[in-house]
Amino acid sequence: MATFPGGGGGGLGVSSLNFPGFGLDSGLEIKTRSVEQTLLPLVSQITTLINHKDKTKWSDKTLQAIQRVGQAVNLAVGRFVTVGEAIANENWDLKEEINIACLEAKQAGETIAELTDVTSLNNAESDGQITIFTDKTGVIKAARLLLSSVTKVLLLADQIVIKQIITSRNKVLATMEQLESVRSFQEFVQIFSQFGNEMVEFAHLTGDRQNDLKDEKKKAEMAAARAVLEKCTMMLLTASKTCLRHPNCESARKNKGGVFHRMKLALEQVIEIVTDCRPNGENEIPSISIYAGIKELKMTVEALRENLYFQSKENLSTMLKLILEHTEDFTDSAYTSHEHRERILELSNQIKNELQHLVSVWMQAQSKKTKNIMEDLELAILKISHSMNEFKRELHSAATLLATDLLKHHADHAILKALKITGVEGNLEGLAEYACKLSEQKEQLIETCRLLRHVSGTEPLEITCMHAEETFQVTGQQIISAAETLTLHPSSKIAKENLDVFCEAWESQISDMSTLLREINDVFEGKRGEKRAYLSLPKPVKNNANLKPFKPTKLDSEEQAKIAKLGLKLRLLTSDVDCEVEKWKNQENDIVRHGQNMSSMAYSMYLFTRGEGLLKNTQDLIYQVEVFATEGLKLASVLQSFSKQLKDDDKLLLLLEINKLMPLCQQLQLTAKTPIQNKIYTKVEKCIQKTRFVLATLTQLLPICYKLMHKCKSENDCINSLQPWMESRWQTVTTKDSMDEKTVEAFAVRSLEHNIANLTFLESK
């Protein structure tokens, strides 16, 4: 299937890509990075054409350059239209709209080529010729039509991506309904196997969509929904097994029902995000954090310096009233210390009084704008701004200290351990006691998440706090119902396994909360910066002995088109590697460094498949492949050294992954050094494919290393949480009715194969 980059999450309108004089359809909105990045080169080239200086005489070199740009635009649009028409033929419901937009793009590209055919402009026979210099309005009109039509095609293609996600969700939901009503072990085994495959497909689609979204808030919402599906998948397996084993147990049915309900809600949330449409026309819930309110009030107050009349005093009072109402979450909390409560109340009153004084001076300034009054106004603005900063610091201190103390207090997971013991002992009195204690811990954690949300500092972190709050609320109750089932059936291995899974989910969320706390502190201290840029890699040596058997060549247009599809998959995998690398706190770690270098080299290969970047010919590419393979072997060596620090089980896990990486790198190295037998394209294709296999292994290896590194530094009794969804192992069960033994079927979510294929609009200069 031929495909384009997709769109989906909130943000930049097409108009923000415009240049002066170009108004596009205001109904078009770009919501994904891939669509935006696809359009930017086109905008850049057309801008170059439009922003020329009017002269009576042009040099031949300049005229040739203008003509080359015009021809490049037209050729790229031609390739674009070919792919667009292929998409249309595969999607009949959108065929007419896509074909119309493709036709408009083709006509606009041809017009631009005609108007930039200016090489004979300095000759006498060119008199009367209509060109970019004589008909600038025509060029602007053609450019506007080209950008609008190309954007329409991209966004229509994006609708296909959204439709694929919806179709995948529907398949998962239908299979879940079968699982929910199944009555026999054998039937459950068959359906769960199908469910696993469908969830892999859903992970493909939603993972790529999440990475492509521009709106950071929607990205966080998608991550939260996918985290629920990740953790609930194992819960669904064990809860269903327990319910099948103990069909008359009410707590087992309640436990299973809770998992299914939560997964259905998460699936629905994913669809709301990708379609940007909420059920029953509901509006998006606005931010209710105190930080957001303080930020808005400060901006409004400081704007009085420029304009004394744009706000009313009632608006300022309403803003402050809303902030102080939310502050009651701190002052009314039983877990806020007396000192913090007193200081928060003191600062609240101080800000209230300072706002009253500010309003008084402001009213005077409106009627009498003297120098003294304006100085008083400035002083009042500075005072209230300072007090609000102090207020923020106090709230942050109260919330983060509470969270830190709570996490330390529950680091040993003593209540969970006690619940497991009372369960296998069949101790109903002990169950009641520790269930009550877990409920108290749950309320503490929920309250803490609510306070952290107020001081989170960014919308994505606010979303993460809400997700943590909801997870503790639901998982806490599910642990109690799972413990009750075990207590009623103390000899049941399946009931014990089920309780273990829910406890692991709780411990995992506690660990996630520690990470969340660090990120909130980083935002408060201004530590969160831009992504670390990769360093340039060495250029190939001209006389490399390995490259003597063939001359540097460029791929023809047909070969370039074929290789572009493989290159796209390479780009998606580099994004996955980058996401894993960013999780590491120590960016100077050797594992991180080698991972970054491999991702950077793979990205250079991806640019080559687009006809861009520093790799200009096949010789450059083959050299880059050799260096990439060598870097992979260096990483394997570092990992072997790291494995010596691990315990037996962890060491075996890491060595198994290393033993996957090393042969792949060696095979890639051999492929790069093998002399050409047939066409150079065949060798290039093999190199790109094998590079993909190495990167796919790396995306599985990095998160394992991250967890093992973290585990080395933590206490020995720390229990690892479930593997993240993108490197998880789906567990299926054997056909034995006992279902005590399980077979584990590994899978790795590969880069999306049938969705996005990047398109080069412009030829490389």
Side-chain angles (χ1 to χ4, degrees):
M1 173 180 173
T3 48
F4 289 124
L12 183 67
V14 173
S15 58
S16 62
L17 288 175
N18 290 351
F19 30 85
F22 287 76
L24 298 183
D25 185 347
S26 60
L28 301 177
E29 184 183 10
I30 298 172
K31 298 180 179 182
T32 55
R33 299 181 191 281
S34 52
V35 172
E36 180 181 284
Q37 292 303 313
T38 303
L39 287 173
L40 283 173
L42 183 60
V43 172
S44 175
Q45 291 285 48
I46 296 176
T47 304
T48 302
L49 291 176
I50 299 302
N51 291 342
H52 66 80
K53 295 179 181 178
D54 293 326
K55 296 181 182 178
T56 55
K57 188 75 174 176
W58 294 82
S59 69
D60 289 340
K61 186 177 180 181
T62 301
L63 293 175
Q64 288 170 6
I66 291 173
Q67 183 163 354
R68 279 200 307 273
V69 172
Q71 289 173 345
V73 169
N74 189 34
L75 287 171
V77 170
R79 292 196 296 271
F80 175 86
V81 167
T82 301
V83 180
E85 289 170 345
I87 293 173
N89 290 331
E90 295 170 358
N91 297 273
W92 288 90
D93 52 336
L94 295 173
K95 183 174 181 179
E96 185 178 355
E97 289 181 84
I98 293 176
N99 280 338
I100 290 172
C102 283
L103 180 61
E104 290 176 351
K106 186 177 180 181
Q107 291 172 344
E110 290 171 350
T111 301
I112 288 173
E114 290 172 5
L115 292 172
T116 53
D117 184 12
V118 293
T119 50
S120 60
L121 198 63
N122 288 338
N123 300 332
E125 61 268 20
S126 66
D127 291 347
Q129 180 184 349
I130 299 175
T131 68
I132 186 173
F133 305 115
T134 60
D135 188 14
K136 196 165 187 176
T137 303
V139 178
I140 292 173
K141 184 178 178 181
R144 183 187 298 118
L145 178 61
L146 178 59
L147 288 173
S148 292
S149 55
V150 166
T151 304
K152 283 177 187 174
V153 174
L154 290 171
L155 297 183
L156 286 168
D158 184 63
Q159 290 301 309
I160 299 166
V161 179
I162 293 172
K163 190 168 67 174
Q164 287 177 329
I165 294 175
I166 294 172
T167 301
S168 179
R169 186 283 307 259
N170 291 341
K171 287 197 294 185
V172 169
L173 206 53
T175 308
M176 278 180 64
E177 289 174 359
Q178 294 179 48
L179 283 173
E180 203 167 4
S181 59
V182 75
R183 290 291 178 267
S184 72
F185 285 114
Q186 188 173 3
E187 187 183 2
F188 175 78
V189 171
Q190 294 171 348
I191 298 174
F192 191 83
S193 178
Q194 176 187 340
F195 173 73
N197 291 330
E198 290 169 353
M199 285 294 284
V200 170
E201 179 190 5
F202 194 67
H204 266 295
L205 299 169
T206 56
D208 190 72
R209 192 64 169 186
Q210 179 184 324
N211 290 335
D212 201 26
L213 290 173
K214 289 177 57 195
D215 189 307
E216 293 299 326
K217 182 179 179 182
K218 289 188 182 297
K219 255 184 159 176
E221 289 174 343
M222 180 73 92
R226 295 180 74 245
V228 170
L229 294 170
E230 168 204 328
K231 292 177 182 177
C232 282
T233 299
M234 183 57 71
M235 296 178 190
L236 183 145
L237 172 62
T238 58
S240 297
K241 286 166 56 182
T242 305
C243 208
L244 286 169
R245 174 55 65 82
H246 308 290
N248 298 320
C249 182
E250 179 60 32
S251 58
R253 286 199 297 268
K254 181 180 177 182
N255 191 243
K256 171 187 164 185
V259 176
F260 275 94
H261 178 68
R262 196 170 184 219
M263 287 191 79
K264 288 175 184 177
L265 290 178
L267 288 167
E268 190 59 38
Q269 185 182 0
V270 169
I271 300 306
E272 289 175 17
I273 294 165
V274 299
T275 59
D276 207 13
C277 180
R278 296 184 178 271
N280 305 319
E282 295 174 8
N283 292 324
E284 190 172 354
I285 300 172
S287 172
I288 59 168
S289 77
I290 296 175
Y291 269 25
I294 291 174
K295 182 180 179 182
E296 185 181 3
L297 180 57
K298 276 188 68 178
M299 288 173 62
T300 305
V301 166
E302 289 170 357
L304 294 176
R305 294 181 173 118
E306 306 298 328
N307 190 333
L308 295 172
Y309 306 98
F310 82 108
Q311 280 286 353
S312 67
K313 61 181 180 181
E314 289 77 17
N315 283 352
L316 289 180
S317 299
T318 301
M319 287 181 193
L320 181 58
K321 183 181 178 182
L322 190 61
I323 292 170
L324 297 181
E325 283 176 1
H326 289 321
T327 304
E328 291 173 4
D329 286 346
F330 284 82
T331 55
D332 293 350
S333 173
Y335 308 112
T336 302
S337 70
H338 176 72
E339 292 77 10
H340 278 128
R341 183 180 291 107
E342 290 298 310
R343 180 61 177 155
I344 290 168
L345 289 171
E346 179 187 339
L347 286 168
S348 297
N349 288 328
Q350 182 176 320
I351 291 172
K352 200 184 300 182
N353 293 334
E354 286 176 352
L355 184 64
Q356 289 176 353
H357 176 66
L358 172 68
V359 169
S360 174
V361 177
W362 174 28
M363 293 299 104
Q364 291 179 45
Q366 283 184 338
S367 58
K368 197 175 183 181
K369 203 172 181 180
T370 65
K371 182 181 177 182
N372 288 339
I373 291 176
M374 294 309 294
E375 287 176 353
D376 289 344
L377 179 63
E378 178 64 23
L379 184 59
I381 291 171
L382 291 173
K383 273 189 174 182
I384 195 169
S385 295
H386 176 74
S387 295
M388 283 191 283
N389 288 337
E390 285 292 310
F391 191 47
K392 276 180 65 176
R393 272 192 286 273
E394 193 63 33
L395 294 172
H396 177 269
S397 175
T400 54
L401 283 176
L402 172 62
T404 302
D405 292 343
L406 191 60
L407 290 170
K408 283 181 182 176
H409 183 65
H410 295 297
D412 58 357
H413 305 298
I415 297 174
L416 299 183
K417 292 173 184 175
L419 276 171
K420 292 177 185 179
I421 293 170
T422 57
V424 295
E425 291 176 348
N427 183 353
L428 288 171
E429 289 183 3
L431 170 67
E433 177 188 348
Y434 288 108
C436 183
K437 288 184 177 180
L438 183 66
S439 294
E440 290 175 3
Q441 182 184 346
K442 179 188 74 175
E443 292 305 319
Q444 285 180 313
L445 288 164
I446 289 171
E447 184 87 9
T448 304
C449 289
R450 194 171 294 131
L451 299 185
L452 286 175
R453 181 183 177 186
H454 280 304
V455 301
S456 54
T458 69
E459 282 193 325
L461 288 179
E462 192 177 334
I463 297 296
T464 307
C465 291
M466 292 167 65
H467 167 66
E469 183 182 339
E470 188 255 351
T471 299
F472 284 126
Q473 179 70 56
V474 175
T475 311
Q477 191 55 48
Q478 288 177 318
I479 288 173
I480 292 171
S481 61
E484 184 181 341
T485 303
L486 178 59
T487 307
L488 293 172
H489 307 277
S491 61
S492 172
K493 291 182 180 179
I494 289 176
K496 182 179 183 301
E497 177 193 20
N498 187 48
L499 178 57
D500 286 342
V501 166
F502 281 95
C503 288
E504 286 172 6
W506 180 274
E507 292 164 8
S508 173
Q509 190 57 54
I510 292 285
S511 176
D512 290 346
M513 189 172 173
S514 298
T515 303
L516 172 62
L517 181 60
R518 283 198 301 273
E519 290 178 348
I520 289 172
N521 281 326
D522 285 348
V523 169
F524 184 77
E525 294 167 11
K527 289 181 181 176
R528 295 187 76 176
E530 295 299 318
K531 276 183 66 174
R532 170 176 172 157
Y534 292 126
L535 299 174
S536 335
L537 295 167
K539 292 283 287 176
V541 181
K542 296 286 183 182
N543 61 353
N544 190 324
N546 293 323
L547 301 177
K548 283 184 179 178
F550 66 94
K551 295 179 180 179
T553 58
K554 289 191 176 183
L555 302 178
D556 62 36
S557 57
E558 185 179 348
E559 291 171 340
Q560 192 77 51
K562 287 180 184 176
I563 208 73
K565 293 181 181 179
L566 290 175
L568 170 72
K569 297 167 190 176
L570 207 60
R571 181 182 73 85
L572 295 172
L573 282 168
T574 61
S575 297
D576 291 342
V577 172
D578 291 346
C579 288
E580 291 301 334
V581 165
E582 284 179 359
K583 295 177 183 176
W584 291 66
K585 189 174 182 180
N586 178 14
Q587 290 287 303
E588 301 303 323
N589 183 288
D590 283 343
I591 298 172
V592 173
R593 183 167 52 81
H594 289 303
Q596 286 176 331
N597 287 343
M598 291 175 74
S599 176
S600 180
M601 284 184 257
Y603 189 77
S604 295
M605 296 179 218
Y606 153 68
L607 290 177
F608 172 85
T609 65
R610 288 174 54 104
E612 300 172 4
L614 297 175
L615 307 180
K616 299 301 182 185
N617 52 52
T618 52
Q619 188 183 50
D620 291 349
L621 176 76
I622 300 302
Y623 174 81
Q624 186 76 99
V625 168
E626 280 192 59
V627 178
F628 175 87
T630 303
E631 193 74 7
L633 292 172
K634 289 179 182 177
L635 173 61
S637 177
V638 170
L639 293 175
Q640 284 177 329
S641 299
F642 172 51
S643 69
K644 295 174 184 177
Q645 306 171 30
L646 304 174
K647 294 181 181 178
D648 290 345
D649 289 347
D650 293 336
K651 183 176 183 179
L652 180 60
L653 172 63
L654 184 56
L655 288 175
L656 285 171
E657 296 300 324
I658 294 171
N659 288 338
K660 293 178 188 176
L661 179 65
M662 288 187 70
L664 288 172
C665 291
Q666 289 164 351
Q667 289 171 22
L668 180 59
Q669 212 170 40
L670 185 63
T671 301
K673 292 180 178 180
T674 302
I676 303 299
Q677 301 296 329
N678 300 309
K679 292 183 67 178
I680 181 61
Y681 170 78
T682 306
K683 180 166 183 171
V684 170
E685 184 181 39
K686 284 182 180 178
C687 286
I688 296 293
Q689 286 176 333
K690 291 188 177 183
T691 299
R692 281 174 47 212
F693 297 152
V694 173
L695 277 181
T697 304
L698 189 59
T699 60
Q700 296 177 2
L701 187 56
L702 286 173
I704 292 173
C705 295
Y706 177 81
K707 290 191 173 184
L708 293 177
M709 187 76 75
H710 186 268
K711 186 177 179 181
C712 278
K713 296 177 182 177
S714 63
E715 296 180 5
N716 292 331
D717 63 346
C718 180
I719 303 171
N720 275 347
S721 60
L722 292 176
Q723 291 281 358
W725 190 4
M726 294 299 283
E727 71 266 359
S728 177
R729 294 181 180 268
W730 291 98
Q731 293 194 338
T732 59
V733 291
T734 64
T735 54
K736 294 181 182 179
D737 284 353
S738 67
M739 301 191 71
D740 290 336
E741 296 180 4
K742 299 186 296 296
T743 59
V744 181
E745 187 173 328
F747 80 98
V749 178
R750 301 286 185 248
S751 299
L752 196 55
E753 294 181 354
H754 300 294
N755 263 333
I756 303 174
N758 258 351
L759 174 71
T760 308
F761 280 99
L762 303 172
E763 292 179 337
S764 189
K765 286 188 179 180

